Every structure is written in structure tokens, then in C-alpha cells.
Amino acid sequence: MPGELMVRAGGKEYPILVGSGSYKEALPEILRRLGPDKVAVVSHPPLREMHGKDLEEALRDELPRHGRVIWFTFPEGEENKTLGTVTEGYRFLLRESLTREDMILAFGGGVVGDLAGFLAATYMRGVRYLQLPTTLMSMVDSSIGGKTGVDLPEGKNIVGCFYHPEAVIADVSVLRTLPEREVLSGMAEVAKYGFLYDPEILREMEGWPEGRPPEGYDFAPLVRRCAAHKARVVGEDEMDLKGIRAFLNYGHTFGHALEAAAGYRMLRHGEAVALGMIMASRMAEWSGRARVPLVERHLRVLLPLLRDIPRPLEVSARDVLGFMEADKKRGRSLRFVLLREWQSPELVESPPPDLVWETVERTLKDLHAAR
């Protein structure tokens, strides 16, 4: 079995399996244990085209003779992570006679994982599911911890629940099929774990040529390291009630507003979070909360991950602050994760609006000037 970690949360324990070729190694044992007749793979059409044959072979070898692999695919993009897509999924599963004894498999990045998890949690009051993430970001973050959900026009992940998978299988060999920009976007979430918990991650990233993973890099140890941090945090604060899990939102308050202001098209999620962490480091310094210099190192680690974003980025500070203000009007306080020093985060509620404005405006101006 590939390198195995365990998540312990909500009275449940399940493994995170990390390795190269790990799904072909891990799926037989998991399917023998769970014994479904049918597996419904939730994915995007390009992923089915690229990996579908191999995945089906790995699944069918362990299904009973009458068992079937069925595919529910939907278009890529955050804009398709909706209740409408979930409803299509319910009807598809009903037509295919999927029962509670069967299983759903989320095969994709964060959008697929969130939607498939919510579909599994709510179809027939809950069916078992597996997470098989295909992006670096989903391997180190979104596939772990049981957060599921879909978006409304008013915001991301407004509808959702906590529902844990039977296992997470992170097969790093799949990363070789990703565009470099997608890998660099995922590295922002990796860097987040370095800033929050793990100085060794930052030292490794700083040693890479041009700040990016070298050709042929083995991601398995890095994914395992990040996944271990996520598993620990989930075990301590599964429902995000103690403030511990909230630290994982480092850079995300700025980042989500940047994504929305960019129409979910110009920026990958990780790119928006990278910019958000740069903004958070500046806010921490300018507010006097930081006990050590933060900004220079954030720029050194994160700017190489942003090389493919549009220049100039057609986003204004007014747009970004407008989305933050909309969140406030819906009763959601602006809560920022800031660093006092390396690996020492704190939660800051509703900082001075002038400070938020200056942080966003100056960072965007600097980004435009560096085109």
C-alpha cells in the first residue's frame, strides 16, 4: 500500500494514500472491503477521455460479474459547481439504479471533489464515496477533511455539509498530465502549509531553480507532508468551530474576493490565494502585528508561481472590496488569518477598512507595475 496517513474525525477514521500509481494499488483492497455492485465516477469529460480506460480497468477487476462502472460528467469550471448540476446528478444516479450499497468516486480537482462529496452526502440520505484527486491543490487540501458544497450566485460553497469519504487516494503520477500553470497554482496551497506550520517546505521551495519544481520532481513526499498537516488540523477541529481549522484559510479572504472580482476566469484558485497571502503578509506588517519581516519572503516564494497570470490583471481594488462588502452585508464578518511570525498564525476580525483598502490597492498596483 502507498504511504498511508489516517484522518480521525467525526467518529470516523479513514486513510490518505499517497504514491505514484497508487490508485491501481489501493482500489482493489478498498473495493473488496466495501463490496459495491456499481461505482459512479463523478468527473469532467476531458479527465474521462484521458484516464477513463485505466480507471475503469482498475475498478472492474474488483466488481462482481454483474457490477458496472458508470460516469456522471459535467463541464469544467467553478461556474458549474451548482445545485443544478447536483440535480442532474441525482437524476442520473436514479436512472442508473444506484443504491446506498453502491459507491461514488470523485475523480478530479476541487470542483469535482466538492460537488461529488455533496452529491454522495445527500443522495438517498448518504452513500459511500472515495476521493481520487487529480490536481496538486486537491491532493494537499480540498480532498481531505470532509467539506463538501456547491455555489450560489451570492457566493462560493454557500450550500454544503461535512461528509467524510471512505478514503483519499492521491496518485501523484496523474500530475504529469497537468499543465504547468495548474501545478504552480497548486503549489500556492503547498506554500500555505509552509507559512503556517512547516519551515522545511519553505526552505525546499526557496531552493528550486526559478522558484518552481524541477523537471521530474517526485511530489509524493511533499503531498504526504502537507496531507499530514491537514489531517492533524481536521482531527483537532473537524467542524471549524475552534478557530484551528480556520487558519487553513490563510490568504483566502483576499483570494476569494480576487477570484470573484476576476469573474472566476482570469485567475486559478491557487493564484488568487498566492496574491491573498502576499496581501496578508503586508497587512500583518503594516498593522504592526508582525514581529518579523514577512513580505520579502512571501514575494520570493510566491511570485514565481504567478508567472502565467494575465498582465495587467484587469481587477481593481474597488471590485475586490466590493465583494468583501457584499459578504459583510450577508452577515459574514471579514476574518483574516495573519502571521505574527513564521508558523504563528492568528485570526483578526474586521480590521480597519482603510488598512484593507490600502493593502489591496498597493498590491495590485505593484503587480501591474511588474508586468
Side-chain angles (χ1 to χ4, degrees):
M1 186 68 67
E4 184 170 326
L5 304 165
M6 298 301 296
V7 179
R8 297 174 177 86
K12 183 174 183 175
E13 181 176 85
Y14 59 92
I16 306 170
L17 308 166
V18 182
S20 182
S22 56
Y23 79 78
K24 294 180 181 179
E25 185 177 349
L27 277 176
E29 180 179 326
I30 293 171
L31 291 176
R32 285 194 294 269
R33 173 169 60 86
L34 298 178
D37 285 343
K38 290 186 284 292
V39 176
V41 182
V42 179
S43 190
H44 295 313
L47 286 170
R48 181 179 183 179
E49 184 177 344
M50 188 178 303
H51 301 287
K53 183 178 178 181
D54 288 344
L55 181 57
E56 284 196 28
E57 286 179 358
L59 291 168
R60 283 178 175 154
D61 286 347
E62 299 302 328
L63 292 177
R65 186 172 300 174
H66 62 277
R68 289 191 298 134
V69 178
I70 56 179
W71 288 79
F72 173 67
T73 61
F74 64 99
E76 296 176 293
E78 185 76 26
E79 65 272 18
N80 295 302
K81 199 179 83 174
T82 65
L83 287 169
T85 304
V86 171
T87 299
E88 291 176 15
Y90 294 148
R91 291 172 173 162
F92 171 83
L93 297 178
L94 281 171
R95 288 195 302 271
E96 298 291 337
S97 302
L98 194 89
T99 72
R100 295 189 68 192
E101 285 69 46
D102 294 319
M103 191 180 74
I104 288 173
L105 192 156
F107 185 63
V111 169
V112 167
D114 285 355
L115 187 138
F118 185 67
L119 184 65
T122 51
Y123 177 75
M124 291 189 172
R125 298 189 177 93
V127 298
R128 299 166 299 179
Y129 82 111
L130 299 175
Q131 287 274 11
L132 209 170
T134 61
T135 66
L136 181 58
M137 181 174 301
S138 57
M139 288 181 187
V140 302
D141 196 78
S142 62
S143 67
I144 304 165
K147 281 188 176 182
T148 76
V150 294
D151 305 339
L152 296 180
E154 291 79 8
K156 291 182 65 170
N157 299 319
I158 299 297
V159 180
C161 61
F162 290 88
Y163 191 66
H164 292 278
E166 299 298 316
V168 178
I169 307 172
D171 187 342
V172 297
S173 67
V174 178
L175 298 178
R176 292 196 294 267
T177 67
L178 292 179
E180 186 183 32
R181 184 176 178 184
E182 193 65 45
V183 174
L184 295 181
S185 174
M187 283 305 308
E189 291 284 355
V190 171
K192 178 189 75 176
Y193 287 104
F195 294 131
L196 290 174
Y197 306 119
D198 196 330
E200 183 55 39
I201 289 175
L202 296 180
R203 284 194 286 269
E204 182 176 359
M205 290 181 68
E206 288 173 309
W208 288 342
E210 300 181 344
R212 299 192 301 277
E215 187 174 351
Y217 179 76
D218 179 9
F219 279 95
L222 191 62
V223 170
R224 197 173 296 119
R225 196 178 189 102
C226 294
H229 289 299
K230 181 70 179 280
R232 174 185 58 78
V233 170
V234 169
E236 293 177 4
D237 187 16
E238 178 202 2
M239 306 295 285
D240 205 356
L241 298 175
K242 302 176 183 177
I244 298 169
R245 189 165 181 172
F247 291 149
L248 295 174
N249 289 325
Y250 185 50
H252 284 62
T253 303
F254 287 117
H256 284 162
L258 283 162
E259 275 188 285
Y264 299 105
R265 292 186 303 274
M266 286 184 277
L267 291 172
R268 302 283 198 276
H269 175 70
E271 292 166 344
V273 169
L275 286 169
M277 288 188 287
I278 292 170
M279 291 177 181
S281 70
R282 286 182 157 175
M283 180 183 282
E285 281 197 14
W286 295 345
S287 66
R289 291 178 177 274
R291 300 169 187 163
V292 297
L294 298 172
V295 175
E296 183 179 347
R297 194 178 195 190
H298 275 71
L299 293 173
R300 187 164 64 247
V301 170
L302 297 173
L303 281 182
L305 310 181
L306 297 170
R307 67 170 200 174
D308 292 324
I309 66 173
R311 303 291 180 93
L313 184 63
E314 298 295 336
V315 174
S316 71
R318 187 175 303 278
D319 294 334
V320 175
L321 272 294
F323 280 97
M324 289 185 179
E325 190 62 32
D327 271 351
K328 286 173 63 179
K329 288 179 180 177
R330 289 194 293 270
R332 304 169 78 186
S333 64
L334 287 184
R335 185 166 67 167
F336 294 84
V337 180
L338 301 182
L339 294 180
R340 293 188 296 270
E341 52 192 57
W342 304 113
Q343 295 85 47
S344 182
E346 64 175 343
L347 292 175
V348 177
E349 298 274 356
S350 300
D354 289 349
L355 177 62
V356 179
W357 174 271
E358 183 180 10
T359 300
V360 174
E361 186 174 46
R362 287 183 55 181
T363 303
L364 290 176
K365 282 183 177 178
D366 290 350
L367 186 66
H368 294 158
R371 54 182 298 192

